Amino acid sequence: MGADGARTKGVGFANVRAFVTEHFGESGWDAVLGSMDPGDRQELLAVTPVGWYSLMLYARLIRAADAVHGKGDLALVEAIGRYEAQHDLTSIHRIFLKLVNPAYVVEQLAKLWTRFHDTGSWEVTRFTTTHATAVLRDWGCADAAMCRELTGYLARSLEICGGHGVVVEHTKCRARGDDACVFDGRWRG
């Protein structure tokens, strides 16, 4: 970890930029950057997908995107999470993912977590073939925007692998004082 705490891979920053420019143009990205602290802006201009960067900087970035282009309800942040899942799970993976149970995909995403984050660990429990709960512990950032983004990411991941009528509820949150974040997912096969 760096002096400012937990780290995340730069690919997430690249996905946020791609989302903003796709939906709001280059001027929309410039507006997000312009709303941020000069130090954050400088760091964001140097981000590469394979580098490691401050998780708190990432939280500030998605909050800035929501402040500039959203309605203040973090729905835009959830849309960013859905966009990231759509782009992270490539077309080749999607073909494979349609053949497995959606809960299996959540378990695999939990295993891949450490490739993209240097803090946090997941515990996934499958209750049925259409219901699973994922618990995230000790993530280096307790921020409601980050959890809202994860909610969108998880929901879209479940949809990509064949879940219909997907509902992911964030029932416990460290940002609300809980000791872990809990995401409860239900879907139809």
Side-chain angles (χ1 to χ4, degrees):
M1 279 190 267
D4 60 349
R7 299 281 176 184
T8 188
K9 284 289 245 198
V11 67
F13 294 89
N15 282 335
V16 174
R17 180 178 184 181
F19 173 89
V20 171
T21 57
E22 187 175 306
H23 290 86
F24 306 104
E26 282 295 330
S27 62
W29 176 247
D30 292 341
V32 170
L33 289 178
S35 74
M36 299 188 75
D37 173 86
D40 285 351
R41 190 168 43 247
Q42 283 303 114
E43 188 168 355
L44 288 167
L45 291 171
V47 166
T48 63
V50 296
W52 286 90
Y53 303 92
S54 165
L55 186 60
M56 292 305 296
L57 174 63
Y58 186 80
R60 291 191 298 273
L61 173 61
I62 63 174
R63 282 190 171 277
D66 185 68
V68 171
H69 298 296
K71 297 177 182 174
D73 60 359
L74 299 179
L76 184 79
V77 171
E78 188 168 335
I80 290 170
R82 293 179 62 78
Y83 179 91
E84 289 183 295
Q86 183 73 31
H87 287 79
D88 286 353
L89 303 173
T90 65
S91 58
I92 293 171
H93 289 111
R94 285 187 206 138
I95 292 167
F96 168 72
L97 294 175
K98 295 264 187 205
L99 303 173
V100 298
N101 181 280
Y104 173 80
V105 173
V106 174
E107 290 169 345
Q108 297 314 302
L109 290 173
K111 289 178 184 177
L112 290 172
W113 181 261
T114 58
R115 291 187 183 179
F116 300 95
H117 299 275
D118 69 354
T119 60
S121 63
W122 287 91
E123 177 185 323
V124 178
T125 304
R126 285 196 227 187
F127 297 105
T128 68
T129 58
T130 60
H131 178 206
T133 296
V135 180
L136 176 58
R137 297 186 192 287
D138 304 318
W139 196 18
C141 182
D143 186 299
M146 298 290 282
C147 293
R148 186 75 184 262
E149 182 199 32
L150 274 176
T151 300
Y153 193 100
L154 291 169
R156 185 64 189 128
S157 297
L158 291 167
E159 291 167 357
I160 287 170
C161 56
H164 300 284
V166 172
V167 175
V168 175
E169 295 179 300
H170 186 44
T171 58
K172 292 186 179 182
C173 185
R174 287 181 50 228
R176 296 188 305 252
D178 294 307
D179 57 344
C181 288
V182 177
F183 300 87
D184 188 63
R186 296 173 187 270
W187 59 92
R188 294 186 318 275

